Amino acid sequence: MRRIDDPAKRLPRSISPIATEETDLKIAIALCTRDRPRMLQCCLTSLLNLGIPDGVQAAVVVVENSDAPSCEGLVSDFARQAPPTLQIVYV
C-alpha cells in the first residue's frame, strides 16, 4: 500500500479537511457528570493546563445530570480562569 502524506488527499472528494493553514481549528469537548465534583475539578484542571496552539479555539461544555446540581459554581470558577482560547460553559 502506498503512503499518502497529505491528509486532504486521503479524504473522499465530498469531504474537506477540518482545518487548513488558512482556517482556525475549533474543538468542542463535552463533559457529562453526576455527583462527582472532585473528578470534574481534576478534569477541568487538566484542561486548563493544556497548551492550546495558535489558531485553535476550544470549548468545554459541562453537562450535570443530577437531581441536585452542585457543580455550577465550580465550573464558573474555572471559566473565569480560562484563557480566551478556551471557553467553559455549564449546562
Side-chain angles (χ1 to χ4, degrees):
M1 179 181 266
R2 187 179 81 176
R3 182 171 182 235
I4 300 173
D5 293 327
D6 183 359
K9 291 181 181 174
R10 288 184 257 161
L11 298 172
R13 290 182 187 181
S14 62
I15 300 174
S16 62
I18 293 172
T20 65
E21 292 174 9
E22 298 94 30
T23 62
D24 289 342
L25 179 63
K26 296 179 182 177
I27 299 171
I29 301 165
L31 298 177
C32 301
T33 186
R34 181 183 173 108
D35 303 328
R36 291 189 172 87
R38 289 187 65 208
M39 188 179 290
L40 178 62
Q41 182 177 9
C42 290
C43 186
L44 291 172
T45 298
S46 294
L47 289 171
L48 280 181
N49 290 327
L50 285 176
I52 299 175
D54 292 338
V56 175
Q57 294 178 338
V60 178
V61 179
V62 178
V63 180
E64 186 173 16
N65 183 19
S66 178
D67 296 332
S70 61
C71 295
E72 186 172 7
L74 174 73
V75 174
S76 295
D77 290 343
F78 275 92
R80 283 191 290 277
Q81 298 173 42
T85 54
L86 178 64
Q87 180 183 12
I88 301 175
V89 179
Y90 178 87
V91 178

